[in-house]
Amino acid sequence: MLASMYELGKLWVQKENMETINIVLDSDKLKNTNKVLFVDMNIDENGEINYDCVTLEDYSKKKNLNYLYKKGSSRGTNLSPSSLITEPNTTFDIKFIKWFKDNAKNDELINKSLEAIDENKDDILSEITHIYDELSSDDKRNVLLTIRFNTNDKTYYLNDYDIFKNLLLEKATEKSYKSGSKKSIGESTCYLCNEYKEVYGLVPGYVGLTFGTADKPGNTPNFNITEQWKQSGICKDCILYLEAGKKFVEKYLNFSEFGLRYYVIPTFFFNKKEVFDELYEDILEIENKRKYSDMVEKEDEFAEIVEELNDVLEFKFLYYEINNSSFKIIGYIESVIPSWLQQIYQTQQKVKSLPLFNENNMKIIFGEKNSGDFISRIKNNNKNYPLNEYNWYLGLLRDFISFNENKYYMELVNSIMTSNKIDYDFILKKIMDKIRSNWRNEEFEFMKINIFKSLHLMIFLNDLKLFRGEKTMKIGEATSPENILDTLDDPAKKACFLLGVLTRKLTLIQFKQLGSTPFVKKLWGLNLDYDKIKQLYVKVIDKLTEYNSFHYYGDIEEEITLNLAIADEKWNLNKNETSYYFVLGYTVGKDFKLNKEGENNE
């Protein structure tokens, strides 16, 4: 991962001919800034510095280098005199003047500036406050306070002086080798560029790209943090490329999906410069589209880029969370190639467009309220996040794997995106846990929706051949609810499905005659196995006979009897499978009819 981020940063820096100092600046944090307040200082011919005035100007993104903005500690100064104003007096005292006090001994220019500021601090603060108070509420939100110098009719900004840049760079990279009073520095071969030079030992943690932390003794050589540089020391030049790579993915390849935030990190196999240039141009085109339309989704556009790529690169997906400004990696997926992502996208489109899920069948199952196929119906009403054609499988997976089970969710996403096998029984258990919860809470409409969500998900995984072992979900071959029976490849599945259909028809008769459905309480909370299926079969037949309705469904009863007899020799469904096929039949049972000549109509 470090090597990929380093390479990406180096390509970006070279492509943009980027200055070193630009890499470490927090310029993106000024994107909502409208105004800049300059404390203007005059330098006379003798090199003496005097305060002139406070000047208000419009913020310009093109002048970010002049501002040298780099955020520091929330309780201390920034890494340059430039600071965003919270309250004029607080920012002026704690951020602005204090920076000069802390660094006065480093350079004569800084020391003389401090003397001039200190001598006129009341006037300077008064002007800052007056100008700030006159601003509109929108402009006040992010006002930048900084300093510049005028001499011989020329204006010089912080970036024009090496001392300001060098101090910023030194302070910015300090955490790459320093932890408290301890330092991890040595002479060795750099882990990234393979050159022998001074290297630092705490770089991954400084950049925010490590699973372990060097402040824990077990993660350091000889249990000593000062020797960490011996393990994977990185030189100063490579630190900046790493930071550039991190900023690239933060700016362009930083996504949020279904409760998780993640970076996409490309790794180039060959023709690296050409492939990067092509990818970068496509990314910039996305950014330009987003400037003019809020409807352009970053994730959708990235997926469209992937669809055009060949396997000349691969992607790494780094999932993370930020708590109290602390960056923590929670998951990492390696070696995802474009062709596999393309197959995932295409399979989603194929499953979404299956005849079983088309508008006509959805109207039969869910009524006329909404139009379109199933995914179109639920995409904007999904419980957690809207779905789209590129990510709906993740949304449905998240519906069955709760937020307090992120570990399992991450493992499944990892398996899917790297084409590794998945445990069929684990997925089905999670699905049935949700459906049983719906059943217990009498959320029958939600249960119906979750059945069709699960069908989409299971067919999708089946079509990608991701299930471990011999278990399959071939229902995707069905063209209508009635046709589901013909796609089931096992007599036990057929028996469960048809018993679910018959049970649904019984509850409809009950509701018509009694205004309630007491029989649903006899279904063991949808915890069914072979013995309970046989018991339930007898109970359903008895009840239908009691309501003088058995003769309507003799053909269904005949099929159940036949399939139960065949399956009796070897019942190979576990509780979750038995329950799933039963509840699937129950869900579509209202309008289900066997495709038999001369069947009785209700």
Side-chain angles (χ1 to χ4, degrees), residues 526-561:
L526 297 184
N527 282 289
L528 304 173
D529 55 22
Y530 177 48
D531 290 335
K532 289 174 182 174
I533 285 291
K534 290 192 294 183
Q535 294 177 51
L536 182 59
Y537 173 55
V538 174
K539 292 178 181 179
V540 171
I541 297 301
D542 288 346
K543 274 293 176 186
L544 285 171
T545 303
E546 182 182 323
Y547 290 121
N548 295 318
S549 299
F550 175 72
H551 60 284
Y552 288 129
Y553 308 115
D555 49 355
I556 297 178
E557 185 273 338
E558 182 182 331
E559 284 290 323
I560 296 173
T561 302

Side-chain angles (χ1 to χ4, degrees), residues 28 178 234 379 434 454 488 509 545 599:
D28 282 350
K178 188 176 180 182
I234 296 173
K379 68 178 183 179
K434 187 73 171 279
S454 69
L488 300 180
I509 293 169
T545 303
E599 74 171 310

Side-chain angles (χ1 to χ4, degrees), residues 88-335:
N89 59 333
T90 303
T91 303
F92 183 68
D93 289 339
I94 296 177
K95 297 288 187 182
F96 189 78
I97 291 183
K98 192 171 188 309
W99 185 92
F100 285 94
K101 289 179 179 178
D102 290 348
N103 295 280
K105 63 182 179 181
N106 291 309
D107 183 80
E108 187 178 2
L109 174 67
I110 297 174
N111 185 51
K112 287 184 176 182
S113 298
L114 172 61
E115 290 174 355
I117 293 168
D118 205 33
E119 184 179 337
N120 298 276
K121 63 181 180 182
D122 292 339
D123 291 339
I124 297 173
L125 179 57
S126 178
E127 280 201 68
I128 291 172
T129 304
H130 174 72
I131 296 172
Y132 182 81
D133 288 345
E134 292 293 314
L135 294 173
S136 68
S137 56
D138 286 340
D139 287 341
K140 272 183 184 177
R141 275 184 284 183
N142 284 282
V143 179
L144 184 68
L145 174 65
T146 187
I147 192 170
R148 64 186 176 186
F149 303 88
N150 301 297
T151 182
N152 298 326
D153 297 325
K154 287 186 178 181
T155 300
Y156 295 90
Y157 296 88
L158 293 175
N159 183 55
D160 294 315
Y161 298 95
D162 288 340
I163 184 61
F164 291 107
K165 293 187 289 187
N166 291 338
L167 286 172
L168 189 152
L169 281 170
E170 181 182 323
K171 196 69 176 176
T173 57
E174 190 177 69
K175 289 184 179 179
S176 66
Y177 63 85
K178 188 176 180 182
S179 177
S181 61
K182 296 180 179 179
K183 295 182 180 181
S184 181
I185 304 176
E187 295 282 336
S188 182
T189 300
C190 175
Y191 175 74
L192 292 174
C193 68
N194 209 32
E195 294 182 13
Y196 190 87
K197 54 176 74 171
E198 184 176 71
V199 295
Y200 307 114
L202 310 181
V203 176
Y206 155 71
V207 180
L209 296 171
T210 181
F211 287 92
T213 54
D215 58 346
K216 295 180 180 179
N219 294 329
T220 60
N222 301 319
F223 303 98
N224 188 348
I225 192 172
T226 62
E227 297 188 20
Q228 183 69 13
W229 61 272
K230 296 179 180 179
Q231 186 163 286
S232 54
I234 296 173
C235 71
K236 186 177 291 185
D237 292 334
C238 292
I239 290 172
L240 295 175
Y241 288 135
L242 263 179
E243 187 155 0
K246 174 83 175 296
K247 287 196 171 181
F248 185 89
V249 297
E250 283 178 338
K251 185 172 184 177
Y252 298 118
L253 298 173
N254 186 17
F255 305 106
S256 178
E257 207 164 53
F258 307 110
L260 292 175
R261 298 159 78 174
Y262 64 96
Y263 297 144
V264 178
I265 308 168
T267 300
F268 309 97
F269 296 141
F270 48 85
N271 297 330
K272 296 179 179 181
K273 183 180 181 302
E274 291 80 2
V275 177
F276 171 79
D277 288 349
E278 182 181 345
L279 179 65
Y280 188 35
E281 287 174 12
D282 290 338
I283 288 171
L284 290 181
E285 187 176 336
I286 290 175
E287 294 301 308
N288 288 330
K289 284 183 182 179
R290 289 172 61 79
K291 287 179 183 177
Y292 299 104
S293 174
D294 292 336
M295 299 301 291
V296 178
E297 291 293 335
K298 196 173 180 181
E299 293 81 358
D300 294 0
E301 293 292 337
F302 177 72
E304 289 182 17
I305 289 175
V306 169
E307 288 186 323
E308 301 298 323
L309 292 174
N310 296 318
D311 290 343
V312 293
L313 75 166
E314 67 179 17
F315 296 106
K316 297 175 175 28
F317 287 70
L318 188 154
Y319 290 82
Y320 68 93
E321 60 184 23
I322 297 177
N323 292 321
N324 299 321
S325 299
S326 175
F327 184 94
K328 180 183 177 184
I329 295 174
I330 59 173
Y332 185 51
I333 300 174
E334 291 193 86
S335 305

Side-chain angles (χ1 to χ4, degrees), residues 365-405:
I365 301 298
F366 294 99
E368 302 285 341
K369 185 177 180 181
N370 296 309
S371 60
D373 58 48
F374 180 76
I375 296 297
S376 299
R377 284 169 170 250
I378 67 166
K379 68 178 183 179
N380 294 322
N381 298 317
N382 206 46
K383 181 179 179 182
N384 298 311
Y385 299 92
L387 309 178
N388 63 50
E389 62 182 300
Y390 296 106
N391 72 6
W392 61 251
Y393 81 95
L394 290 170
L396 302 190
L397 186 65
R398 175 54 94 184
D399 283 342
F400 295 113
I401 310 290
S402 65
F403 285 95
N404 59 2
E405 297 178 307

